[in-house]
Amino acid sequence: MRRLLLPSLLALLPLLSGCMFTVPPRDNAQWTTTTHGVTVHWRLVTPGSLGGLTSSLGHRPGDLTTPRYAGTALVQVAAHEFGHCAAGRYIKVSPNTQGLDTYNSQLFERYAEHYAQLYLRECGDSLRPLGWYDLSAPTCREAPDPRRLQL
């Protein structure tokens, strides 16, 4: 009996000890934007980590992006994550895999990546149309409406 109980207790130890750690306040690097009826809660996280949506169907989606990206890469990631929120909000799925790499050809990545490509074509390397503070001037007046994405 003792031999069975000890491994179970050891497996629970990380969960119990986890409450000893404190998480820094998230308000220092998060903000909320609404673009074309899609509300996104953005939060910068530790470099090297990247999260996704915290809920489904666009109800309070939260996007986690990391400061390790710069320039076009950050814009592409942010627009892609916005695309996930828009897909949830407007219940969009893309059948089109044209021009997508293996990862983005997956069913639930397609729409977000097509939106990111459209965003980069129309708005360039500026995050301002998505509600971010950005010194780069956009090449569009507003972010493309995700409902007009034709696939």
Side-chain angles (χ1 to χ4, degrees):
M1 174 77 169
R2 180 182 278 172
R3 289 175 59 183
L4 293 174
L5 187 59
L6 186 59
S8 297
L9 289 174
L10 288 174
L12 288 174
L13 187 59
L15 296 174
L16 297 174
S17 65
C19 61
M20 294 171 42
F21 299 97
T22 60
V23 177
R26 299 184 331 181
D27 295 339
N28 294 336
Q30 73 178 15
W31 63 99
T32 301
T33 63
T34 301
T35 306
H36 298 294
V38 179
T39 299
V40 181
H41 305 285
W42 301 98
R43 180 166 53 106
L44 293 176
V45 295
T46 308
S49 60
L50 179 65
L53 299 175
T54 58
S55 64
S56 61
L57 299 179
H59 301 292
R60 298 189 48 113
D63 289 330
L64 312 177
T65 53
T66 173
R68 77 179 167 136
Y69 295 103
T72 303
L74 178 58
V75 176
Q76 193 278 331
V77 168
H80 179 99
E81 294 304 315
F82 175 84
H84 279 301
C85 289
R89 171 73 173 86
Y90 295 114
I91 311 180
K92 299 281 189 177
V93 178
S94 172
N96 184 359
T97 60
Q98 184 177 0
L100 301 179
D101 60 24
T102 302
Y103 177 80
N104 288 308
S105 291
Q106 297 176 82
L107 180 62
F108 292 107
E109 296 297 328
R110 295 174 194 166
Y111 182 85
E113 186 58 22
H114 283 298
Y115 182 83
Q117 291 173 2
L118 174 66
Y119 182 91
L120 286 171
R121 277 193 310 273
E122 292 191 7
C123 297
D125 290 342
S126 178
L127 288 164
R128 274 194 238 169
L130 290 177
W132 290 48
Y133 175 77
D134 194 339
L135 294 175
S136 301
T139 56
C140 65
R141 294 209 291 175
E142 65 179 359
D145 189 326
R147 293 167 290 195
R148 73 174 175 89
L149 187 59
Q150 299 296 315
L151 301 170

